[in-house]
Amino acid sequence: MTSISVQDFNLLRQNEALNILDIRDLQDFEMSHLQNAVSVPATSLLNELNNLDKNATYYVISYSGRRSEIIASFLENHGFHAIHVIGGMRDLKELAA
């Protein structure tokens, strides 16, 4: 599984349009999320697999990075190219502060 540091992810997303899967609960997503991120709560992922493009690269982000690591691995095991964002939204917010 591929991973990216929150610092590198932040630089990349400023220069490119990325496919970002935010796997936090919908309530957390609605309170705060990244521009262009799509809400796909981890609990709903199985229902959303058919809506994902196996030719796309997905950057998977959660609150702390723990769940995104698991979900990125799951997606890769199902034929998707997924990149785990280490540190998640928590570290991204600290980086912006």
Side-chain angles (χ1 to χ4, degrees), residues 15-51:
N15 298 313
E16 292 183 38
L18 304 177
N19 295 309
I20 303 169
L21 295 182
D22 189 323
I23 62 162
R24 297 174 300 150
D25 295 333
L26 185 57
Q27 188 175 27
D28 293 330
F29 178 83
E30 289 175 348
M31 287 183 359
S32 168
H33 62 271
L34 300 173
Q35 185 177 1
N36 299 329
V38 175
S39 177
V40 181
T43 56
S44 304
L45 184 63
L46 284 176
N47 296 331
E48 297 296 326
L49 282 181
N50 291 333
N51 297 325

Side-chain angles (χ1 to χ4, degrees), residues 5 34 63 69 76-77 83:
S5 71
L34 300 173
Y63 174 71
E69 182 177 15
E76 289 220 333
N77 288 336
I83 299 174

Side-chain angles (χ1 to χ4, degrees), residues 64-77:
S64 68
R66 176 85 173 125
R67 284 185 297 161
S68 61
E69 182 177 15
I70 295 166
I71 295 300
S73 178
F74 172 84
L75 287 170
E76 289 220 333
N77 288 336

Side-chain angles (χ1 to χ4, degrees), residues 7 13 25 28 36 42 62 65 85 92:
Q7 293 86 356
R13 74 182 186 94
D25 295 333
D28 293 330
N36 299 329
S62 61
V85 179
L92 196 58

